Amino acid sequence: MPRFRHRLDLQMFAGEKTEKATPKKRQDARNKGQVAKSAEISSSLILLGVLSCFLMLGPFFQDRILRLFGDIFLHRLNMDITDQNVLQLFYHYVVQILILLSPILIVAILIAFASTYVQIGWLFTTEPLKMSLSKLNPLSGLKNMFKLRSVIELLKSMLKLTLIGLIVYWVLWTKKQQFLDLAHVPIGGIFAFTARLIVQLGLIVAAILFVLAIGDYLYSRYEYEKGLKMSKQDIKDEHKLSEGDPLIKGKIKEKQRRMALMRMMQEVPKADVVITNPTHFAVALQYDGSKMEAPVIVAKGQDYLALRIREIAKKHDVVIMENKPLARALYERAEVGDAIPGDLFQAVAEVLAYVYRLKGRRRA
């Protein structure tokens, strides 16, 4: 019973998600559009950017607005009402409104792209746009309403409303005397005072939202890392999937080994000499002075492979020489396809010289 309980505890521990996510898990999540980001950062920065644009380009907006509303009284009162004139007037005002709004749109788009890129980098995926019936499940919707994230979102919204309400109340209270003095201010002054007050309130609210957005981003990142955590078994399964099943890998390696042996055996007939131990080792050498700087090992083997190399060499009239120390040294110090080691040049040269003399006698 204690042994069974110990095994059960180990299984439960193996299923706990205590390990950091692997690069593959992170990349898969990123490909699905699952990244750590906060939409609050983009919205607060866009608000700051637009209000700053109003501050810097105030004369431009004032001039364009006056032209837009003054054009009717200055040039359009005596206009004939026809289809063509109305269309021209409509196109004219559309162009003027686009020119008026273009700085705001450009600033908003640039800030939106920049803030998103800083948070998650470059990412384009259509995975979040795919249809999922689970999203339409009312039970899932009810579960999401009572999740910790939903509670935090509710608290965050209440905090934002409270802070913004207090700030707006404080700013308006500090300017109560100026509100009373507006009765003696011309219309232009009233509009100027209202514009300054709106921009001031907007900047303060945007700054508060940005500070809250940073906290929201940090929490989103914490939740993201927590959601990506893996158990030890998950890591093992991922490693098995990425590397392949050990049984299949073993079969593939065995097949590759057999193919390599077949290719090696096919090179034995091309060898100039096979140096043996005489029974334990066999090394086949080939040398072509016009192509090679040094003799090359085309095949080598031990025990059964050594026997097969000798059999193929005898079948194709390849010279077989017994040289125990040289055969063992070549087998241990060089691989198939390698040139022989430099300190063995002299010994191999003597062997090849003998082989060439023997072949010359055979030809004679």
Side-chain angles (χ1 to χ4, degrees):
M1 187 68 179
R3 185 179 300 175
F4 173 75
R5 184 177 298 172
H6 177 67
R7 188 180 305 165
L8 183 61
D9 291 341
L10 289 176
Q11 291 176 354
M12 292 177 63
F13 179 75
E16 291 182 359
K17 298 183 180 297
T18 57
E19 307 299 316
K20 289 186 177 180
T22 59
K24 182 180 183 303
K25 179 73 176 290
R26 292 179 182 276
Q27 187 60 42
D28 291 343
R30 183 177 176 84
N31 292 339
K32 294 178 181 178
Q34 299 173 2
V35 289
K37 67 175 182 177
S38 173
E40 305 289 339
I41 290 181
S42 299
S43 59
S44 60
L45 287 177
I46 288 174
L47 182 57
L48 277 172
V50 170
L51 292 174
S52 301
C53 183
F54 276 122
L55 283 176
M56 292 184 292
L57 301 178
F60 168 80
F61 290 113
Q62 181 183 5
D63 180 62
R64 285 290 169 178
I65 292 173
L66 289 176
R67 287 187 185 182
L68 186 63
F69 289 98
D71 181 69
I72 295 179
F73 298 101
L74 295 175
H75 307 103
R76 309 292 178 179
L77 289 178
N78 298 324
M79 182 184 70
D80 295 332
I81 306 300
T82 63
D83 294 342
Q84 185 175 3
N85 289 344
V86 171
L87 284 176
Q88 288 180 354
L89 182 64
F90 175 75
Y91 289 142
H92 173 74
Y93 284 143
V94 167
V95 171
Q96 294 300 316
I97 292 173
L98 288 177
I99 293 174
L100 176 67
L101 297 178
S102 59
I104 300 173
L105 296 176
I106 292 172
V107 168
I109 292 172
L110 290 177
I111 291 177
F113 274 105
S115 59
T116 304
Y117 180 80
V118 169
Q119 292 184 78
I120 64 174
W122 174 252
L123 176 63
F124 178 77
T125 178
T126 59
E127 193 71 23
L129 302 178
K130 291 183 178 179
M131 284 291 297
S132 177
L133 296 178
S134 60
K135 296 179 180 179
L136 303 177
N137 189 353
L139 295 178
S140 300
L142 288 174
K143 290 180 180 178
N144 292 331
M145 289 177 62
F146 298 100
K147 280 186 175 181
L148 180 61
R149 181 68 183 180
S150 301
V151 175
I152 291 176
E153 287 293 330
L154 176 62
L155 294 176
K156 186 178 66 176
S157 300
M158 293 174 62
L159 178 62
K160 286 194 295 186
L161 288 174
T162 304
L163 285 176
I164 292 172
L166 290 174
I167 291 297
V168 171
Y169 175 79
W170 176 76
V171 171
L172 294 178
W173 182 259
T174 56
K175 297 185 179 297
K176 60 180 180 178
Q177 186 60 43
Q178 298 182 30
F179 277 110
L180 296 176
D181 295 338
L182 289 179
H184 310 288
V185 176
I187 296 296
I190 294 175
F191 279 113
F193 172 78
T194 305
R196 286 195 303 269
L197 182 60
I198 291 174
V199 171
Q200 181 183 358
L201 286 172
L203 290 174
I204 295 173
V205 170
I208 294 173
L209 291 178
F210 180 69
V211 173
L212 294 176
I214 293 177
D216 180 64
Y217 172 74
L218 295 176
Y219 179 77
S220 299
R221 193 167 188 83
Y222 164 76
E223 266 202 336
Y224 176 74
E225 294 293 336
K226 184 180 178 181
L228 284 182
K229 280 189 174 181
M230 305 171 67
S231 65
K232 296 182 184 295
Q233 187 61 40
D234 292 337
I235 295 177
K236 290 180 182 179
D237 294 341
E238 181 186 291
H239 182 73
K240 185 182 292 186
L241 288 174
S242 60
E243 296 294 330
D245 194 329
L247 295 176
I248 298 176
K249 286 178 63 179
K251 291 181 180 179
I252 293 174
K253 287 183 178 179
E254 182 64 26
K255 188 174 182 180
Q256 291 174 343
R257 193 179 302 114
R258 290 178 182 176
M259 294 177 65
L261 287 175
M262 290 177 60
R263 287 194 299 267
M264 185 179 73
M265 293 303 179
Q266 291 173 358
E267 296 296 322
V268 174
K270 303 176 184 178
D272 294 312
V273 63
V274 174
I275 303 174
T276 64
N277 192 25
T279 56
H280 294 294
F281 299 100
V283 180
L285 299 178
Q286 182 185 19
Y287 179 63
D288 186 350
S290 62
K291 299 179 181 179
M292 305 175 184
E293 296 182 357
V296 175
I297 297 176
V298 295
K300 72 172 187 176
Q302 185 178 5
D303 297 332
Y304 174 74
L305 284 179
L307 177 62
R308 287 289 300 147
I309 290 172
R310 289 198 303 273
E311 289 176 354
I312 295 173
K314 288 179 182 179
K315 185 177 179 180
H316 293 86
D317 294 327
V318 177
V319 178
I320 300 175
M321 282 192 63
E322 180 181 339
N323 189 328
K324 295 181 180 180
L326 182 58
R328 190 177 186 89
L330 288 171
Y331 182 87
E332 293 179 350
R333 297 176 56 188
E335 299 297 330
V336 175
D338 294 345
I340 63 171
D343 58 338
L344 299 179
F345 279 2
Q346 181 65 32
V348 173
E350 293 175 359
V351 171
L352 288 176
Y354 172 77
V355 170
Y356 293 152
R357 287 197 300 270
L358 184 62
K359 287 183 177 179
R361 290 174 190 172
R362 288 181 179 176
R363 293 194 190 97

